[in-house]
Amino acid sequence: MPQSPPATRHQPPANSQSITIFDTTLRDGEQSPGCSMSIDEKMEVARALVELGVDVIEAGFPIASPGDFEAVRRIARTYGEQTTICGLARCRVDDIDRAWDALKDAQDVRVHVFLATSAIHREHKLKMAKEEILRRSVEMVKYTADKMAARPDITTPNVEFSPEDAARTELDFLCEVVEKTIEAGATTVNIPDTVGYATPNHFFNVIKTLKEKVSNIDRAVISTHCHNDLGLAVANSLACVEAGARQIECTINGLGERAGNAALEELVMALRTRHDYYGIDTNINTERLFPTSRLVSSITGMKVQRNKAIVGQNAFAHEAGIHQHGMLQNSSTYEIMRPQDVGFVGTNLVLGKHSGRHAFRDRVVQLGYTLDEEIFQKVFDDFIALADKKKDVYDSDIAALVEQRAHQAPATWTMTTFHAFGGTGTIPTATIALTHEDGHTSQDASTGDGPVDAAFHCLERIVGIDATLREYNVRSVSSGKDAMGEVTVEIDCQGRTYHGKGLSTDIIEASALAYLQALNKSLASNGREPHAAKGV
Ligand code: KIV
Ligand code: ZN
């Protein structure tokens, strides 16, 4: 039977209220295929999230692998005074112990425990009856709270509980689990739409029912965690906010398994732009949205679609003449947000080789980057080399150069010489020399269907890895025939996905650099455990 919209759907609060922005880019986002990050990369994203002003960073799932544990530990120690750092655990003693070990030395920390509650998960995944789910959830929340309370400075342990697949859980049972876990010590109850099944009115009603039927609901913050399988993650999260949720779980660029999680930038800008409607404030420094989005995209290799809301390249572009006319008269005719409010630098000042260090530094800062002196010098050298090859250097060129240098993970192999040729009536060939991090050099030559194929074969032979190319994209970073080409690749190696990006005014060389980066990532992750399967 179709659901009728609830009568009480919109009741704007009389006074502004605040909401907790819980970012899970480093946990749920990182679980997305091909998006795994090294510890240093996670530290960099964590720093950006702190600058952005998120209230909680879910830094990882410590039991999943030693790398996840170390990342949570380092992030908690470094940023635990500026924001709350959270670690995920299943409802198992060893998971919770591991999460707490990663967090315990940091100041402001939270443990997030979860157990699936829906019939489908109970029967097919967990093979547990309702009573057992309830008992286990309560026991493990209590275990977590007691463990945290043993630290002398913790008076109220910060424990979050998630009934996984809540959107498909019987409402009565959901209410019972939520009530009992709050009683056991959960201070945040997170209601996940794990498979992206909910619709806005449906999820509004779930939160409303929890508020009405759970007797102790005022003792916990209601949170929501929506996946985007039907493209409704942001709409569902906002509906939950209307119903009274005061924490939203989300990721930068909507990164996450399958179709992703609710996009942080969309939620935050919806709440800000429609403050008249929601009456909700966040602590987010919205001018950091665009740079943070670019950083996450650059580190994970997951591109942001051009027309993506808030952070897509076209998000503020007005093409139609009638729009442009209106915009010239008054920008509010067609613009509901100002590009600068999300940190989008609209101007495209041109720099050249005579612009100088000072002008270049100013531009880098304006584009939202904070670089240490060593990296800045390298980027500046790259800029001079590029300005020698092409007359005009645009913002997008500078952004590409910065990202290439700033997020360069230490590589096992670097390319020292590269030569490739192709053409009608010849056999496409590539000759490449690589230097290993231990100092030795190795070179080889290969043929292929074309020079790119030849280069990829050659790299595989030197590195000693067989990979399957899943995706290959080339784009021009700026305009003009002399523009740099940026190549992104996705490869598959022993069942795992890796991304690589290469930049050069020669797109064959850019292709080889991208492929080499992906192969290096696969070498670096050798021995790293895949994420632990969700379950008890
Ligand atoms: O989607 C989900 O249910 C989760 C939980 C661990 C909160 O990610
Ligand atoms: Zn999730």
Side-chain angles (χ1 to χ4, degrees), residues 320-435:
I322 191 163
H323 285 205
Q324 288 179 355
H325 176 73
M327 288 283 294
L328 287 173
Q329 306 299 311
N330 183 335
S331 63
S332 65
T333 48
Y334 285 101
E335 205 165 68
I336 58 166
M337 299 164 276
R338 295 179 316 159
Q340 57 269 40
D341 293 341
V342 304
F344 186 91
V345 184
T347 59
N348 209 354
L349 290 183
V350 175
L351 296 186
K353 64 176 166 184
H354 302 297
S355 298
R357 220 181 143 80
H358 211 74
F360 183 72
R361 192 190 290 279
D362 279 357
R363 204 76 205 121
V364 167
V365 171
Q366 267 187 20
L367 288 169
Y369 296 107
T370 335
L371 302 180
D372 65 35
E373 210 37 50
E374 193 190 327
I375 304 275
F376 175 79
Q377 187 55 48
K378 287 184 179 157
V379 179
F380 184 66
D381 293 344
D382 292 344
F383 160 72
I384 294 294
L386 179 66
D388 251 343
K389 288 191 201 159
K390 73 197 286 279
K391 202 167 115 274
D392 296 331
V393 178
Y394 299 97
D395 286 347
S396 49
D397 293 317
I398 297 173
L401 293 178
V402 172
E403 274 155 24
Q404 176 183 247
R405 280 290 178 192
H407 316 136
Q408 223 167 32
T412 308
W413 291 97
T414 39
M415 201 156 73
T416 19
T417 60
F418 175 77
H419 176 74
F421 69 87
T424 317
T426 64
I427 299 175
T429 308
T431 310
I432 299 176
L434 301 182
T435 304

Side-chain angles (χ1 to χ4, degrees), residues 24 27-28 192-194 225-227 257 261 534:
T24 182
R27 200 278 298 168
D28 224 349
D193 180 18
T194 306
H225 173 114
C226 297
H227 280 267
E257 286 192 276
N261 289 58
K534 285 186 190 172

Side-chain angles (χ1 to χ4, degrees), residues 198-209:
T199 58
N201 281 341
H202 161 206
F203 232 29
F204 175 94
N205 276 327
V206 170
I207 304 297
K208 186 167 159 270
T209 307

Side-chain angles (χ1 to χ4, degrees), residues 272-309:
R272 179 178 153 144
T273 307
R274 296 309 312 275
H275 194 273
D276 61 317
Y277 184 79
Y278 292 103
I280 298 278
D281 293 320
T282 72
N283 292 320
I284 297 296
N285 171 10
T286 62
E287 287 171 16
R288 296 298 308 163
L289 286 171
F290 199 76
T292 311
S293 155
R294 214 165 30 195
L295 175 81
V296 169
S297 164
S298 170
I299 285 181
T300 58
M302 196 68 118
K303 285 169 89 85
V304 173
Q305 79 198 51
R306 284 191 87 85
N307 62 341
K308 158 97 177 57

Side-chain angles (χ1 to χ4, degrees), residues 27-28 88 112 114 162 164-165 190 192-194 225 227 249 534:
R27 200 278 298 168
D28 224 349
L88 183 69
H112 175 189
F114 73 98
S162 289
E164 190 191 0
D165 203 17
N190 177 45
D193 180 18
T194 306
H225 173 114
H227 280 267
E249 302 200 353
K534 285 186 190 172

Side-chain angles (χ1 to χ4, degrees), residues 24-37 45 226-228 250-265 296-297 299-304 308 499:
T24 182
T25 307
L26 293 173
R27 200 278 298 168
D28 224 349
E30 207 237 356
Q31 278 177 220
S32 164
C35 290
S36 57
M37 301 176 223
V45 172
C226 297
H227 280 267
N228 202 31
C250 44
T251 57
I252 301 293
N253 299 337
L255 205 66
E257 286 192 276
R258 307 182 309 278
N261 289 58
L264 180 147
E265 58 280 1
V296 169
S297 164
I299 285 181
T300 58
M302 196 68 118
K303 285 169 89 85
V304 173
K308 158 97 177 57
H499 290 110

